[in-house]
Amino acid sequence: QVQLEESGGGSVQAGGSLSLSCAASGFTYSSYCMGWFRQAPGKEREGVAAMDSDSVITYADSVKGRFTISKDNAKNTLYLQMNSLKPEDTAMYYCALGGGFACYTPLNPDEYHVWGQGSQVSVSS
């Protein structure tokens, strides 16, 4: 059974840092497109960062230079390091598994079919 289990997140003041982890079971990270998404109350889910099987990375403009997506193939775990956090980064964050080795529309949630349970990130001003 394919599963994604997230950990990390929490609360921080603006300018601080947080990290998220997403451990996978039932498949091998290195063979698939993987992504991080977020959803704030009353807003649509939006793509934050994605990485394909060749480690080609896509970031949303809103997080470029602040967030870093990475993976540890040996641990089958995906990470999101978030620095210089802003109040507008407050949201529930989800990791997600795409359908293939490439990310054709990396930040489009419709491309992903397995989702983690979500981790809350709250940034205060």
Side-chain angles (χ1 to χ4, degrees), residues 16-63:
S17 298
L18 289 171
S19 62
L20 297 171
S21 299
C22 179
S25 59
F27 70 100
T28 302
Y29 262 134
S30 60
S31 300
Y32 290 91
C33 168
M34 298 294 302
W36 287 100
F37 292 78
R38 65 187 181 187
Q39 188 167 18
K43 295 188 176 181
E44 293 186 352
R45 188 167 296 188
E46 63 172 348
V48 174
M51 177 185 290
D52 71 10
S53 60
D54 289 329
S55 297
V56 175
I57 293 172
T58 302
Y59 290 107
D61 288 342
S62 59
V63 306

Side-chain angles (χ1 to χ4, degrees), residues 71-107:
K71 62 183 176 180
D72 185 330
N73 290 336
K75 296 182 178 179
N76 220 26
T77 300
L78 185 73
Y79 302 98
L80 186 68
Q81 177 65 40
M82 302 176 288
N83 299 327
S84 302
L85 282 161
K86 305 175 181 180
E88 51 264 43
D89 294 319
T90 295
M92 188 71 78
Y93 283 70
Y94 301 88
C95 63
L97 166 67
F101 60 88
C103 300
Y104 297 103
T105 52
L107 302 181

